[in-house]
Amino acid sequence: MAKSKKRKSLVPGAEQALEKFKVEIAAELGIMEGSGNSLESALEKYKHEIAGELGIDSYVKNQGWQDVSSGKCGAVGGRMGGRIGGNMVKRMIEMAEKQMAGK
């Protein structure tokens, strides 16, 4: 059995800050609504919404994710990460521009 590598953080505490930022963006996008303020439950709900848009949600509900093609899974993950991550990057660029304009 191969040893799993422990990823070393370049900036201590960055993971917690990024998770907080991710929750903030997800809340702004309406992804957190009706999830009981849990990021995991919100992302699970959002994942099924996207699967519905792709026409695979009934299959997933009946069969589970294990037999869904990697292409379809990638499409779901890409839409999830793209929307949240894209808005995170957009916000970081806006913050950097404001900081640079202030100097």
Side-chain angles (χ1 to χ4, degrees), residues 4-85:
S4 64
K5 292 183 181 181
K6 180 85 172 163
R7 290 174 39 179
K8 188 174 183 180
S9 176
L10 293 176
V11 181
E15 293 87 4
Q16 294 86 2
L18 284 172
E19 282 299 308
K20 182 179 176 188
F21 190 38
K22 188 187 302 182
V23 168
E24 182 182 318
I25 296 296
E28 288 178 11
L29 294 172
I31 294 169
M32 297 294 292
E33 293 174 14
S35 66
N37 292 332
S38 164
L39 180 61
E40 292 80 21
S41 63
L43 292 178
E44 187 66 25
K45 180 181 174 199
Y46 187 44
K47 180 168 63 173
H48 284 280
E49 287 176 19
I50 294 171
E53 291 172 9
L54 295 173
I56 62 170
D57 194 44
S58 60
Y59 179 83
V60 169
K61 285 180 181 175
N62 293 326
Q63 304 294 323
W65 286 98
Q66 63 273 8
D67 292 328
V68 177
S69 72
S70 60
K72 292 285 188 187
C73 284
V76 171
R79 286 192 190 184
M80 288 178 68
R83 186 166 182 218
I84 296 170

